[in-house]
Amino acid sequence: MLIRVGFDIQFQIPAEVALVVLLNVHPSRVSDLLEPDELQAGPAVPVRNYTDSFGNRCSRLVAPPGLLRLTNSTLVRCPDEPDEVNEAGRELAVRDLPDDVLVYLLNSRYCEVDRLSKVAFELFGLIAPGWGRVQAICDWVHNKVEFNYQHARPTKTALDVYTERIGVCRDYQHLAITFCRALNIPARYATGYLGDIRVPLRLPMDFSAWFEVFLDNRWWTFDARNNIPRLGRILMATGRDASDVAITTSFGRADLVHFFVVAEAVMETLAHTDQDSSASRSTATLRV
Amino acid sequence: MLIRVGFDIQFQIPAEVALVVLLNVHPSRVSDLLEPDELQAGPAVPVRNYTDSFGNRCSRLVAPPGLLRLTNSTLVRCPDEPDEVNEAGRELAVRDLPDDVLVYLLNSRYCEVDRLSKVAFELFGLIAPGWGRVQAICDWVHNKVEFNYQHARPTKTALDVYTERIGVCRDYQHLAITFCRALNIPARYATGYLGDIRVPLRLPMDFSAWFEVFLDNRWWTFDARNNIPRLGRILMATGRDASDVAITTSFGRADLVHFFVVAEAVMETLAHTDQDSSASRSTATLRV
Amino acid sequence: MLIRVGFDIQFQIPAEVALVVLLNVHPSRVSDLLEPDELQAGPAVPVRNYTDSFGNRCSRLVAPPGLLRLTNSTLVRCPDEPDEVNEAGRELAVRDLPDDVLVYLLNSRYCEVDRLSKVAFELFGLIAPGWGRVQAICDWVHNKVEFNYQHARPTKTALDVYTERIGVCRDYQHLAITFCRALNIPARYATGYLGDIRVPLRLPMDFSAWFEVFLDNRWWTFDARNNIPRLGRILMATGRDASDVAITTSFGRADLVHFFVVAEAVMETLAHTDQDSSASRSTATLRV
Amino acid sequence: MLIRVGFDIQFQIPAEVALVVLLNVHPSRVSDLLEPDELQAGPAVPVRNYTDSFGNRCSRLVAPPGLLRLTNSTLVRCPDEPDEVNEAGRELAVRDLPDDVLVYLLNSRYCEVDRLSKVAFELFGLIAPGWGRVQAICDWVHNKVEFNYQHARPTKTALDVYTERIGVCRDYQHLAITFCRALNIPARYATGYLGDIRVPLRLPMDFSAWFEVFLDNRWWTFDARNNIPRLGRILMATGRDASDVAITTSFGRADLVHFFVVAEAVMETLAHTDQDSSASRSTATLRV
């Protein structure tokens, strides 16, 4: 399966401002790219890439006053299978976790492990360790939290989600991550593209959030928001929580004026022969 | 100046538990060590070292049920000068910051930059950028927060410190760090040894916290708790906040039953000739 | 000036539920009523009135499953003058406050005086006591908080408003009330009708919130949201904060499905002669 | 049973300050008083009494700079039976609650019903209504919260207690009250004297907190801290939470320098014949 992903994000910039953006496909998916994955800035200010301590490909730029437009479009090969499920996946004892995984057991800005530790044990402490326990956490969060775009706010933490029971995709993942960590299960936040055929058409598409859990010596995808295996996730970044992997961070004022994201499955034959023709591509488009 | 540092920390362990500890001198100070700096565990369980993503030397061990005793003692050469002061130190524009410094502008568990951003601008936004502004932040925090061991709690955040105005050393630094970051000044939390002649004798010594600020292309030491240049800081770890550099983290129950820390200036001659005699050493001791 | 006020509020009730509503004009305004002020419920369940400890006229009812419709319309005579301003108004020493006013100096659910006390003193402690200081508080809140319906949430407290700087009318008042109380100035929350000619037409009208301050031995109206003297406020209830004077409180599920509020100045002659003809009334309507 | 209650509370007052204190026995217990119950102030400033909106007997005074000493001692007749238990006690439907009880279903400063409502339903929603459910709430709070004087703080709310699981008597009651209210069971905070034979001798005695629940058309005593029926409670005040019934509230600085509370059972014969002789009384004392 091929998926065309891309975005057109525009800011009004009142005064020169530095930005860090996480708008590339994750290094782990570079071999799946069928087209270049280069962020375009307009005006054409220099964009410098670097890799952060979590292994994400970040970009830095300085935007002059006026309109800043960030765009990109690339084509990614995806497995025809949905997220892997491994019901036999085992939790590792902390003693057996790799060193670089330990950080994903700790507190972070939106994941107050210290404040939800007792609750996590009460809810999930008696469930058999392993994949099933992580799934139980996802089920709980999925069933108890109501999705509502109106109640999103940037400062909402896992504890807020636990008490308010309302949120958007990042909020679901923050709460599930926090419960996992409280049980000594490493969990990290993930952001990327996820097409969606079920979302009402009038709802503008956004980047999506899910999370990853370390079981059986590798990271696995979970998603407390959707809570079913999905096709076509394209990872952009992972971190401790949303604070580490904000799509765009401006160090000064930058007013978002346009936001468009796309992630669409494309017919492989068309994609190969005519991948630059947006007219034909759009007819060949099938939302994931 | 030579400083003998060390500790004797004991836990009662009800059931086997994994621990991560940050109890070594920081790699940046290894060349100042005059004695080995090796953590001793009793019982003698294996202790494995690794370096975390912040560059700290961490140790992992698995403690069996019963008493766990962690001890160490080493001798460190320190400058005879107090913390450097550079009143001409300049804030760098975000565009000019090294990539690996950017993370110290973001939110972290105890430093809610997002919630204190407006306050920081109101309090310090009009002060000339640079060393003087960071010092103004330290002065404000130092003057407005009351030191009180009774009101320490592990979940206290910068916002709590700002509203409650009471805390211990880590709380002072968290608030100052948060204000710095809100103003786009990179700031990170530091923990280590700091002897103190002014503390009442009955107060048991603890590890200390201070913070570092990136000005003029390097990190500088600030301390909103003491707020005067001090002799004899010996760094152990830096991170985004206390959550990253907890002295000990146990992934399960471990009840602290004994806690003793020492950091004392020793006469150089005595130290060299008789460094194992605790009797003579104690007479030669001068608290920093 | 005559103002027609009223509402049409509808809930879908899944199972029998008790409600308490505050939907009458405040007892202090009963002498200004030119028409009866009786809440209509459909279906016609019994509605029982009582006066709460704050002196508000409350109504209790039990709604059966199905649609519940609460409506009312009445005509109120209002002064032709906007909110009184008394720049010479003095703060009373606490010792001189009436007993029943003291409660308006304390903490309440959305007004954490204990957490904002230091901030209040830093911002307003040096301003001369009296009307001017309360006005300074209103000016500060009005200028620092951005109005945004999208970011309303029922759990938002004064501290949240102080850190997030975004809110709706009740949020402005909660922060201003908290600052007043921290300075020993009694302040209470008020809710009622307030017509508004400045709101964009597409925005549905809502009940409004303001607050009252005790100066010179009586209560005065302030409004940190609008921050200008206004015509035509019609008080419905006062309390410590929004928690005391919720327009409707359901003790079980009640899903709001329709919400319409009106407060319109009507021509006195038309109002008197033809007050039941909605056709002619609407042509004579002028939004306050 | 006769109980001698009293206190000696001293403040250092830097500048004239108004205080409101709740230091009398509750009006409901006046008929049990065997001696006058009059607050003594030293210096002998005027003390004026009033009844607040919750029915408590409050005192107001203005303290001059210097030492302020508040003392009292009185003798109270108590039932020989511990707190009443009525396992058949029924929850009333909200529709059947008296008007003046409704306020005890709402949010208050330390009882965030809105934030713990879902949790309360998950924990206790399926338990049969009535006395047993309130007892289940007390059991849960009693078992899950650890008593610790070191972690007391004046801003701690029910949500904090729920997440931190540590507190003093008032914290236990706030959490239990909040759970009750979330389930539509009216609950109010109570403060008063409660002798305790079990407290280690070195622990200074304090006033105590418990709570009251409205079942079967009257208020009943519950105590999530002690969680057993106790002899000799002497009520001083009830309110929505600790914010309503602070023992002392100073509207300006007043530094507590001495705090002594006593509540001791006395032999009836001795008490009657020699109630003014503190020497003989102390030998006849038996801690409740």
Side-chain angles (χ1 to χ4, degrees):
Chain A
M1 188 169 77
L2 300 184
I3 299 185
R4 175 153 301 283
V5 295
F7 53 84
D8 179 351
I9 302 175
Q10 298 174 26
F11 294 96
Q12 192 63 41
I13 309 288
E16 188 185 86
V17 67
L19 289 104
V20 171
V21 302
L22 277 160
L23 284 167
N24 286 101
V25 168
H26 192 262
S28 64
R29 295 298 297 271
V30 162
S31 61
D32 294 323
L33 290 171
L34 300 180
E35 293 179 10
D37 175 32
E38 291 305 326
L39 174 65
Q40 310 297 317
V45 294
V47 175
R48 191 159 64 72
N49 291 318
Y50 70 100
T51 301
D52 69 15
S53 71
F54 301 101
N56 303 307
R57 185 177 171 203
C58 307
S59 305
R60 302 176 61 168
L61 57 111
V62 178
L67 188 75
L68 173 71
R69 187 178 181 195
L70 302 174
T71 55
N72 196 5
S73 169
T74 189
L75 194 64
V76 190
R77 184 179 301 278
C78 281
D80 291 326
E81 303 297 320
D83 304 328
E84 275 184 276
V85 173
N86 171 14
E87 289 179 3
R90 289 168 306 116
E91 294 179 19
L92 268 61
V94 173
R95 62 190 299 169
D96 297 323
L97 292 172
D99 296 338
D100 60 358
V101 167
L102 291 172
V103 70
Y104 299 105
L105 293 175
L106 302 182
N107 281 312
S108 56
R109 169 67 183 100
Y110 299 117
C111 298
E112 311 105 319
V113 181
D114 48 3
R115 297 200 70 184
L116 283 166
S117 173
K118 298 280 189 181
V119 175
F121 272 92
E122 284 158 10
L123 292 175
F124 310 108
L126 295 179
I127 297 177
W131 185 280
R133 180 147 74 162
V134 178
Q135 186 55 53
I137 289 172
C138 288
D139 291 346
W140 193 97
V141 173
H142 180 77
N143 291 330
K144 297 288 190 178
V145 178
E146 182 188 343
F147 186 85
N148 190 321
Y149 255 114
Q150 309 305 317
H151 289 77
R153 65 177 190 274
T155 58
K156 190 182 274 189
T157 69
L159 179 59
D160 292 330
V161 182
Y162 179 68
T163 60
E164 301 178 16
R165 301 293 170 89
I166 204 161
V168 294
C169 62
R170 77 179 218 155
D171 301 316
Y172 285 78
Q173 321 307 341
H174 281 155
L175 182 53
I177 288 168
T178 306
F179 283 149
C180 287
R181 290 182 190 166
L183 298 166
N184 289 340
I185 309 170
R188 67 185 184 191
Y189 185 88
T191 189
Y193 295 95
L194 176 61
D196 194 338
I197 51 168
R198 302 169 314 158
V199 167
L201 289 186
R202 70 182 179 285
L203 204 73
M205 190 178 158
D206 197 351
F207 294 105
S208 191
W210 55 89
F211 74 111
E212 294 182 344
V213 172
F214 197 85
L215 297 173
D216 263 353
N217 229 24
R218 53 159 280 204
W219 293 100
W220 302 83
T221 294
F222 284 85
D223 180 345
R225 159 72 178 105
N226 293 297
N227 205 30
I228 50 163
R230 289 284 294 269
L231 284 165
R233 290 185 203 272
I234 298 173
L235 185 67
M236 298 171 77
T238 64
R240 305 211 299 194
D241 63 28
S243 194
D244 286 335
V245 293
I247 295 298
T248 63
T249 304
S250 70
F251 297 93
R253 192 164 157 196
D255 299 325
L256 185 68
V257 292
H258 182 78
F259 187 84
F260 177 76
V261 176
V262 70
E264 294 178 328
V266 283
M267 297 292 190
E268 195 145 349
T269 48
L270 287 174
H272 274 225
T273 56
D274 190 21
Q275 68 190 24
D276 293 328
S277 157
S278 58
S280 65
R281 190 169 61 241
S282 72
T283 57
T285 289
L286 180 75
R287 281 190 165 257
V288 181
Chain B
M1 189 167 75
L2 300 184
I3 299 186
R4 174 153 301 281
V5 296
F7 53 84
D8 180 348
I9 301 175
Q10 298 173 26
F11 295 96
Q12 192 62 43
I13 309 287
E16 189 185 86
V17 67
L19 289 103
V20 170
V21 303
L22 278 159
L23 283 166
N24 286 101
V25 168
H26 192 262
S28 63
R29 295 297 296 273
V30 163
S31 62
D32 295 323
L33 289 171
L34 300 180
E35 294 179 9
D37 175 32
E38 291 306 326
L39 174 66
Q40 310 297 318
V45 295
V47 174
R48 191 159 63 73
N49 292 319
Y50 69 100
T51 301
D52 69 14
S53 71
F54 302 102
N56 304 307
R57 185 177 170 203
C58 306
S59 306
R60 301 175 63 169
L61 58 112
V62 178
L67 188 75
L68 173 71
R69 187 177 182 196
L70 301 174
T71 57
N72 196 5
S73 169
T74 190
L75 195 64
V76 190
R77 185 179 300 280
C78 281
D80 291 326
E81 302 297 320
D83 303 328
E84 277 185 275
V85 173
N86 171 15
E87 289 178 3
R90 290 168 305 116
E91 294 178 21
L92 267 62
V94 173
R95 62 189 299 167
D96 297 323
L97 293 171
D99 296 336
D100 60 359
V101 167
L102 291 173
V103 71
Y104 299 105
L105 293 175
L106 303 182
N107 281 311
S108 55
R109 169 68 183 98
Y110 300 118
C111 299
E112 310 104 320
V113 181
D114 48 2
R115 298 199 70 185
L116 283 165
S117 173
K118 297 281 190 182
V119 175
F121 272 92
E122 284 158 11
L123 292 175
F124 311 108
L126 296 179
I127 297 177
W131 185 279
R133 180 147 72 162
V134 177
Q135 186 55 54
I137 289 171
C138 288
D139 291 347
W140 193 96
V141 173
H142 180 76
N143 291 330
K144 296 288 190 178
V145 177
E146 182 188 342
F147 186 86
N148 190 319
Y149 254 113
Q150 308 306 317
H151 290 75
R153 65 178 190 274
T155 57
K156 190 181 273 188
T157 69
L159 179 58
D160 292 330
V161 183
Y162 178 68
T163 60
E164 301 177 17
R165 302 292 169 90
I166 204 161
V168 293
C169 62
R170 77 178 218 156
D171 301 317
Y172 286 77
Q173 319 308 341
H174 281 155
L175 182 53
I177 288 167
T178 306
F179 283 149
C180 287
R181 291 183 189 166
L183 298 165
N184 289 340
I185 308 171
R188 67 186 183 190
Y189 185 88
T191 189
Y193 294 96
L194 176 60
D196 193 338
I197 50 169
R198 301 168 314 157
V199 166
L201 290 186
R202 70 183 179 285
L203 204 72
M205 190 179 160
D206 198 351
F207 294 104
S208 191
W210 55 88
F211 74 109
E212 295 182 344
V213 173
F214 198 85
L215 297 173
D216 263 354
N217 229 25
R218 53 159 279 205
W219 292 102
W220 304 82
T221 294
F222 284 85
D223 181 346
R225 159 72 179 105
N226 293 298
N227 205 29
I228 50 163
R230 288 284 293 269
L231 283 165
R233 288 184 204 272
I234 299 172
L235 185 67
M236 298 171 77
T238 64
R240 305 210 299 194
D241 63 29
S243 193
D244 286 335
V245 294
I247 295 296
T248 63
T249 304
S250 71
F251 296 93
R253 192 165 158 197
D255 299 324
L256 186 69
V257 292
H258 181 79
F259 188 84
F260 177 76
V261 176
V262 69
E264 297 179 326
V266 284
M267 298 293 193
E268 196 145 349
T269 48
L270 286 174
H272 274 223
T273 57
D274 188 22
Q275 68 191 24
D276 293 328
S277 158
S278 58
S280 63
R281 190 169 64 242
S282 71
T283 57
T285 290
L286 179 76
R287 284 192 162 256
V288 181
Chain C
M1 190 169 75
L2 301 184
I3 299 186
R4 175 154 300 282
V5 296
F7 53 84
D8 180 349
I9 301 175
Q10 298 173 26
F11 294 96
Q12 192 64 41
I13 309 288
E16 188 186 87
V17 67
L19 288 104
V20 170
V21 303
L22 279 159
L23 283 166
N24 286 100
V25 168
H26 192 262
S28 63
R29 297 297 297 273
V30 163
S31 62
D32 295 323
L33 290 171
L34 301 179
E35 294 179 7
D37 174 32
E38 291 306 325
L39 174 66
Q40 310 297 318
V45 294
V47 175
R48 192 159 62 73
N49 292 318
Y50 71 99
T51 302
D52 69 15
S53 70
F54 302 101
N56 304 306
R57 185 178 170 201
C58 307
S59 306
R60 304 175 61 168
L61 57 111
V62 178
L67 188 76
L68 173 70
R69 188 178 181 195
L70 301 174
T71 56
N72 195 6
S73 168
T74 189
L75 194 65
V76 190
R77 183 177 302 279
C78 281
D80 291 326
E81 302 297 319
D83 303 326
E84 275 184 276
V85 173
N86 171 16
E87 289 178 4
R90 291 167 305 117
E91 293 178 19
L92 267 62
V94 173
R95 63 190 299 167
D96 298 323
L97 292 171
D99 297 336
D100 61 358
V101 167
L102 291 172
V103 70
Y104 299 106
L105 293 174
L106 302 182
N107 282 310
S108 56
R109 169 68 184 98
Y110 300 118
C111 299
E112 311 105 320
V113 181
D114 47 3
R115 297 200 70 184
L116 283 165
S117 173
K118 298 281 189 181
V119 175
F121 272 91
E122 285 159 9
L123 292 175
F124 310 108
L126 296 179
I127 297 177
W131 186 280
R133 180 147 74 161
V134 177
Q135 186 56 54
I137 289 172
C138 288
D139 291 347
W140 193 97
V141 172
H142 180 76
N143 291 330
K144 298 288 189 178
V145 177
E146 182 187 342
F147 186 86
N148 190 320
Y149 254 113
Q150 308 306 317
H151 289 75
R153 65 178 189 274
T155 58
K156 190 181 273 188
T157 69
L159 179 58
D160 292 330
V161 183
Y162 179 69
T163 60
E164 301 178 17
R165 302 293 170 88
I166 204 160
V168 293
C169 62
R170 75 178 220 157
D171 301 316
Y172 286 78
Q173 321 307 342
H174 281 155
L175 182 53
I177 288 168
T178 306
F179 283 149
C180 287
R181 291 183 189 166
L183 299 166
N184 289 341
I185 309 170
R188 69 185 183 191
Y189 185 88
T191 189
Y193 295 96
L194 176 61
D196 193 338
I197 50 168
R198 301 169 312 157
V199 167
L201 289 187
R202 70 183 178 285
L203 204 73
M205 190 177 159
D206 198 350
F207 294 103
S208 190
W210 55 89
F211 74 110
E212 295 182 344
V213 173
F214 197 86
L215 297 173
D216 262 353
N217 231 23
R218 54 158 279 205
W219 293 100
W220 303 82
T221 294
F222 285 85
D223 181 346
R225 159 71 178 107
N226 292 297
N227 206 29
I228 50 164
R230 289 284 292 270
L231 284 165
R233 289 184 203 272
I234 298 172
L235 185 68
M236 298 170 77
T238 64
R240 305 210 299 194
D241 63 29
S243 193
D244 286 334
V245 293
I247 294 298
T248 63
T249 303
S250 71
F251 296 92
R253 190 163 158 198
D255 300 323
L256 185 69
V257 292
H258 182 78
F259 187 85
F260 177 75
V261 176
V262 68
E264 297 177 326
V266 284
M267 299 291 192
E268 196 145 349
T269 49
L270 286 174
H272 274 223
T273 56
D274 189 22
Q275 67 191 24
D276 293 328
S277 158
S278 57
S280 63
R281 190 170 61 242
S282 71
T283 57
T285 290
L286 179 76
R287 281 191 165 259
V288 181
Chain D
M1 189 169 75
L2 301 184
I3 299 184
R4 175 154 301 283
V5 296
F7 53 83
D8 180 350
I9 302 174
Q10 298 174 25
F11 294 96
Q12 192 62 43
I13 309 287
E16 187 184 87
V17 66
L19 289 104
V20 170
V21 303
L22 278 159
L23 284 166
N24 286 100
V25 168
H26 192 263
S28 64
R29 295 298 299 271
V30 162
S31 61
D32 295 322
L33 290 171
L34 300 179
E35 294 179 8
D37 174 32
E38 291 306 326
L39 174 66
Q40 310 297 318
V45 294
V47 175
R48 193 159 62 72
N49 292 317
Y50 71 100
T51 301
D52 69 14
S53 71
F54 302 100
N56 304 307
R57 185 178 170 202
C58 307
S59 306
R60 302 176 61 168
L61 58 111
V62 178
L67 188 74
L68 173 70
R69 186 177 183 198
L70 301 174
T71 55
N72 196 5
S73 168
T74 189
L75 194 64
V76 189
R77 184 178 300 279
C78 282
D80 291 325
E81 302 297 319
D83 303 328
E84 275 185 275
V85 173
N86 171 15
E87 289 178 3
R90 289 167 307 116
E91 294 178 19
L92 268 61
V94 173
R95 62 191 297 169
D96 297 324
L97 293 172
D99 297 337
D100 61 358
V101 167
L102 291 172
V103 71
Y104 298 105
L105 293 175
L106 302 182
N107 281 311
S108 56
R109 169 67 184 101
Y110 299 117
C111 299
E112 310 105 319
V113 181
D114 47 3
R115 296 200 70 185
L116 283 166
S117 173
K118 298 280 190 181
V119 175
F121 272 93
E122 284 159 10
L123 292 175
F124 310 108
L126 296 179
I127 297 177
W131 185 280
R133 180 148 73 163
V134 178
Q135 187 55 54
I137 289 172
C138 288
D139 292 346
W140 192 96
V141 173
H142 180 76
N143 291 329
K144 297 287 190 179
V145 178
E146 182 187 342
F147 186 85
N148 191 321
Y149 254 112
Q150 308 305 318
H151 290 76
R153 65 178 191 274
T155 58
K156 189 181 275 189
T157 68
L159 180 58
D160 292 329
V161 183
Y162 179 69
T163 60
E164 301 178 16
R165 301 291 170 90
I166 204 160
V168 294
C169 62
R170 77 178 218 157
D171 301 316
Y172 286 78
Q173 321 307 342
H174 281 154
L175 182 53
I177 288 168
T178 306
F179 283 149
C180 287
R181 290 183 189 166
L183 298 165
N184 289 340
I185 309 170
R188 67 185 184 191
Y189 185 88
T191 189
Y193 295 96
L194 176 61
D196 194 339
I197 50 168
R198 301 168 314 159
V199 166
L201 290 186
R202 69 183 180 285
L203 205 73
M205 191 178 157
D206 197 351
F207 294 103
S208 190
W210 54 89
F211 73 111
E212 295 182 344
V213 173
F214 197 85
L215 297 173
D216 262 354
N217 230 23
R218 53 158 279 204
W219 293 101
W220 303 83
T221 294
F222 285 85
D223 180 345
R225 159 72 179 106
N226 293 297
N227 205 29
I228 50 164
R230 289 283 295 268
L231 283 165
R233 291 184 201 272
I234 299 172
L235 185 67
M236 298 171 78
T238 63
R240 305 210 298 195
D241 62 29
S243 194
D244 285 336
V245 293
I247 294 298
T248 63
T249 304
S250 70
F251 296 93
R253 190 163 158 198
D255 299 324
L256 185 69
V257 292
H258 182 78
F259 187 84
F260 177 76
V261 176
V262 68
E264 296 177 326
V266 284
M267 298 291 191
E268 195 145 349
T269 48
L270 287 174
H272 274 225
T273 56
D274 189 22
Q275 67 191 26
D276 293 328
S277 159
S278 58
S280 64
R281 190 169 63 241
S282 70
T283 58
T285 290
L286 180 75
R287 281 188 164 261
V288 181

